[in-house]
Amino acid sequence: MASERDMFSAEIVNRGVESSGPNAGSLTFSVRVRRRLPDFLQSVNLKYVKLGYHYLINHGIYLFTIPVLLVVFSAEVGSLSKEDLWKKLWEDARYDLASVLASFAVFVFTLSVYFMSKPRPIYLIDFACYQPQDELKVSREQFIEVARKSGKFDEGSLEFQKRILMSSGIGDETYIPKTVIASTENTATMKEGRAEASMVMFGALDELFEKTRVRPKDVGILVVNCSIFNPTPSLSAMIINHYKMRGNILSYNLGGMGCSAGIISVDLARDILQANPNNYAVVVSTEMVGFNWYQGKERSMLIPNCFFRMGCSAVLLSNRRRDYNRAKYRLEHIVRTHKGADDRSFRCVYQEEDDQKLKGLKMSKDLIEIGGDALKTNITTLGPLVLPFSEQLLFFATLVWRHLFGGKSNGNSPSLKKPYIPNYKLAFEHFCVHAASKTILDELQRNLELSDKNMEASRMTLHRFGNTSSSSIWYELSYMEAKERVRRGDRVWQLAFGSGFKCNSVVWRSMRRITKPSRNPWLDCINRYPVSLT
C-alpha cells in the first residue's frame, strides 16, 4: 500500500470566491490528486543498459583498437636502438622489397578504409526561433476572455481551463493566432492553417538565412515536421515554392509524430547527410495552434488549448569540413525510444472527434506514467554513451548485482535492492527538457535529481512562450545563448517526448563560446528572467 500511495501527490487548490449557490461569497478550496511520474531510476531494465553499451561498442571500436595497436608498435620499436632500427629497415627494404611494398599498401588501404567508413561529423551552423508580433500576445486572463467571447464553452469548461492555466507554469506573454483571438467561427480550416504556417515558418527561415548568410538554393536537404496540420501540397513544398529552392532538393515532411518530432527530424537529416557529402540540411519544427483549436466540452481535449502556443524553429546542419570553424555545435549522439507496441502508450495522446463530432487532441490520465516509462528506457540506453566511466561502473555493478542476486544483503551490509542512481549532471552542462507542463517538469527534476539551475531554461521557456511543441527545445537553447552560458566544449542534452508514445534524446557539443546573438527571441526580455514561479 505504501508504494501505491507514493505514486500519487495531493495539493490544495484555491478556487476563489463562489459566485452562486448556498456558499456564495465564500472562499472555496479543492484537493487535487495527481499520479506521479514513476520513480523510473529505481526500476531499470538491464536490456536497455545492454543496448546502450551495444551503441557504445559499435561507435567506439576505433577508440579501443587504435590505442592497442599503437602500444604494441611502440613497444616493438622501443626495444631497438636507433642504429638497429635503421639497419633493420634498410636490410628489409634491400632484401625483401616486395614485403615492404605489400606492408605499405596494406597500411594505405587500412587508412583509406578507416577514413571512408568513419561517419562524417554533423555540424549545427546556427538556428532561429520565431517570435510572433506583440499583437498576438495574450495573458492568461485574456485567454479565458477569448474563450468566453467565442460562445463555444459553458461555464464549467471555462472554469476548468482557468484552473489548468493558473497551475500550468505558463505566463502572461505567450502567443496565439489572430484567428483564435478575433474569430468566433471555426478556426480549423485549411486557409487559416496555411496562413499560420506561412507566418511562423517563413519568419524563422528568413532569420536563419540572414544569420548564416546561406542562400536557400544552397540547401540540399529539407526536413519539416508538424504533427497536426498536414496539407497537400505539403509544408515542405510550401517552403520550396516560397524560396524557389533548387529542383534536386531532398525534401521530407513528417506528420503526426508529436512534440518529439524535432529530434526525429534531426536524426533523419543526419542519416541523409551521411549519404550526401558537402551538403546543407535545414530542419523546420512547428505546430499549428489555430488548426488544432478545440471548441467542445470534453475536458481531456480542452487541455491542449491551455498549453500549446505559437512557435517555430529552423536549424541549419552541415557535413562540410570547411564549416568546422563557424559551427556552433557538433552532433554527438541521438537515442530514440518508441513505445507504440503497447496499446496504452499508443492511445495516451490521440486525435479524435468528441460526441458532438468536434475534432481535438485527447490527453489520457495515464500520460505522466507512460511518459515516465518511455523516459526510463531512453536515459538507460543513453547512459553508457555519455556518463563518465566512474558513474557507469557504479551503476552497472549495482545493476548486475541486483540482476544476479536479487538485491539480497546480509546483516552487516546495506541492501543493494536500490540501484545506484547515475549523476547525469556529470555528463552534461546544459539541459533542454521539453517544456510540456509544470507538473511534468517538476517530476522530471525530482527523478533525475536536477537542480533548479538545470531546469531553468525549460521552466522559463514554458513561462514565456508556453508549450511550442517540437520547437520548444530550441527556445530553451536560445535562452541559454541569450544568457551567454554556453562555452566551448560544453555538452547540451535536448530531451523531448510525444505521441506514439516516443521519447528522444540528442546530445550536442559546443564548438566555441557562444556570445549573445544579434537575433534571438529572448533579447527583449532576457534581463527580466529568471522569474519566480511560486
Side-chain angles (χ1 to χ4, degrees):
M1 291 295 294
S3 60
E4 183 68 21
R5 287 197 300 270
D6 291 341
M7 292 298 296
F8 295 90
S9 63
E11 62 177 313
I12 298 176
V13 180
N14 184 351
R15 300 184 62 180
V17 178
E18 189 72 26
S19 59
S20 61
N23 298 321
S26 302
L27 283 173
T28 57
F29 298 86
S30 63
V31 178
R32 179 180 297 159
V33 179
R34 285 195 180 100
R35 181 178 288 272
R36 284 185 181 275
L37 191 69
D39 199 358
F40 47 80
L41 289 175
Q42 308 304 323
S43 57
V44 176
N45 195 323
L46 184 60
K47 71 177 182 179
Y48 298 120
V49 180
K50 292 178 180 177
L51 182 60
Y53 280 102
H54 175 69
Y55 288 162
L56 179 65
I57 290 172
N58 280 351
H59 293 88
I61 187 66
Y62 298 114
L63 297 178
F64 291 106
T65 56
I66 292 176
V68 171
L69 293 174
L70 288 176
V71 169
V72 173
F73 179 76
S74 300
E76 181 68 23
V77 173
S79 64
L80 300 173
S81 65
K82 181 183 278 189
E83 293 78 10
D84 292 339
L85 179 61
W86 281 110
K87 184 178 180 181
K88 186 175 180 61
L89 289 174
W90 174 251
E91 289 180 351
D92 286 346
R94 182 178 179 183
Y95 296 109
D96 199 1
L97 184 60
S99 298
V100 173
L101 292 176
S103 300
F104 181 74
V106 169
F107 173 76
V108 172
F109 176 77
T110 304
L111 204 62
S112 301
V113 169
Y114 167 72
F115 282 108
M116 291 176 64
S117 61
K118 182 181 178 182
R120 295 175 180 274
I122 305 299
Y123 302 114
L124 192 160
I125 306 302
D126 211 334
F127 65 97
C129 295
Y130 177 67
Q131 182 178 9
Q133 299 174 354
D134 286 345
E135 63 184 20
L136 303 179
K137 190 181 295 184
V138 293
S139 66
R140 288 170 292 182
E141 293 295 337
Q142 288 173 328
F143 180 90
I144 296 300
E145 190 60 29
V146 167
R148 178 176 282 108
K149 286 182 177 179
S150 70
K152 303 291 184 180
F153 307 103
D154 56 25
E155 284 301 319
S157 298
L158 291 170
E159 184 62 28
F160 173 76
Q161 292 181 78
K162 185 174 181 179
R163 291 202 307 271
I164 292 293
L165 273 174
M166 293 307 171
S167 61
S168 64
I170 293 177
D172 292 323
E173 294 184 302
T174 58
Y175 303 92
I176 60 175
K178 185 180 295 185
T179 53
V180 174
I181 297 175
S183 175
T184 59
E185 303 299 325
N186 178 25
T187 60
T189 64
M190 298 301 291
K191 179 181 178 181
E192 302 296 351
R194 284 193 174 95
E196 184 182 348
S198 299
M199 180 195 305
V200 298
M201 292 193 310
F202 300 158
L205 286 166
D206 286 347
E207 180 180 335
L208 179 70
F209 292 136
E210 178 185 336
K211 290 166 71 173
T212 60
R213 298 186 300 278
V214 170
R215 299 179 306 166
K217 287 185 178 293
D218 294 334
V219 176
I221 300 161
L222 174 65
V223 183
V224 181
N225 69 82
C226 181
S227 190
I228 298 297
F229 182 60
N230 291 286
T232 299
S234 65
L235 296 178
S236 59
M238 286 175 59
I239 294 173
I240 293 170
N241 174 261
H242 180 79
Y243 291 100
K244 309 304 177 188
M245 293 173 139
R246 65 197 203 194
N248 63 344
I249 188 171
L250 303 176
S251 66
Y252 301 85
N253 202 97
L254 306 183
M257 305 201 77
C259 299
S260 66
I263 296 178
I264 296 172
S265 298
V266 171
D267 190 24
L268 175 59
R270 177 190 64 172
D271 290 344
I272 303 170
L273 282 170
Q274 292 296 348
N276 295 270
N278 298 316
N279 240 313
Y280 285 122
V282 168
V283 175
V284 178
S285 302
T286 189
E287 191 57 82
M288 300 305 116
V289 176
F291 191 79
N292 193 44
W293 186 256
Y294 175 66
Q295 298 178 329
K297 300 177 182 178
E298 179 67 37
R299 296 197 171 186
S300 62
M301 300 172 78
L302 285 170
I303 295 175
N305 283 9
C306 300
F307 284 99
F308 286 104
R309 296 292 186 269
M310 292 179 70
C312 180
S313 66
V315 181
L316 180 65
L317 303 176
S318 171
N319 60 6
R320 308 193 313 171
R321 301 191 188 278
R322 75 190 75 165
D323 288 324
Y324 174 89
N325 291 324
R326 73 172 184 138
K328 280 188 172 182
Y329 305 93
R330 184 179 68 240
L331 180 59
E332 297 282 300
H333 306 288
I334 295 180
V335 174
R336 292 170 55 182
T337 301
H338 203 307
K339 293 290 185 177
D342 175 68
D343 290 339
R344 278 204 321 152
S345 300
F346 176 72
R347 295 188 65 90
C348 71
V349 181
Y350 203 78
Q351 188 181 23
E352 61 182 8
E353 292 86 13
D354 63 9
D355 295 338
Q356 282 74 44
K357 304 301 181 183
L358 294 173
K359 183 178 62 178
L361 204 60
K362 188 171 185 178
M363 315 293 282
S364 167
K365 62 182 179 180
D366 299 323
L367 177 61
I368 293 180
E369 179 185 354
I370 291 167
D373 182 57
L375 181 60
K376 175 187 69 176
T377 302
N378 188 267
I379 66 173
T380 305
T381 306
L382 179 68
L385 299 175
V386 298
L387 287 169
F389 182 72
S390 58
E391 290 293 306
Q392 293 189 46
L393 188 62
L394 287 170
F395 174 66
F396 192 67
T398 55
L399 194 65
V400 171
W401 180 275
R402 291 175 63 248
H403 183 72
L404 296 178
F405 303 105
K408 296 178 181 179
S409 62
N410 54 43
N412 300 323
S413 62
S415 173
L416 288 175
K417 184 176 181 180
K418 180 179 179 180
Y420 175 74
I421 302 174
N423 186 358
Y424 281 87
K425 289 177 285 188
L426 297 177
F428 309 107
E429 285 73 36
H430 308 286
F431 297 79
C432 298
V433 180
H434 169 50
S437 71
K438 179 179 181 296
T439 302
I440 291 178
L441 293 179
D442 288 344
E443 294 299 322
L444 283 170
Q445 180 176 3
R446 182 179 66 86
N447 277 273
L448 290 176
E449 299 181 354
L450 300 178
S451 67
D452 290 340
K453 194 75 171 178
N454 297 143
M455 298 296 293
E456 182 182 313
S458 298
R459 293 190 186 280
M460 296 307 106
T461 296
L462 180 63
H463 181 271
R464 175 64 180 85
F465 293 98
N467 182 345
T468 59
S469 190
S470 56
S471 64
S472 70
I473 54 177
W474 297 104
Y475 284 87
E476 293 162 17
L477 189 54
S478 292
Y479 178 85
M480 295 173 186
E481 291 191 353
K483 287 287 187 181
E484 297 187 274
R485 293 178 180 171
V486 183
R487 304 185 181 279
R488 180 182 176 87
D490 283 359
R491 294 154 298 180
V492 180
W493 181 19
Q494 291 181 316
L495 174 66
F497 33 89
S499 60
F501 192 86
K502 299 178 287 294
C503 179
N504 301 318
S505 292
V506 60
V507 180
W508 304 92
R509 184 177 292 273
S510 175
M511 303 289 288
R512 53 185 168 89
R513 183 177 181 273
I514 308 298
T515 57
K516 184 179 291 188
S518 59
R519 298 282 299 274
N520 187 294
W522 291 92
L523 291 184
D524 63 342
C525 61
I526 193 62
N527 293 330
R528 294 190 279 114
Y529 282 89
V531 297
S532 175
L533 301 178
T534 56

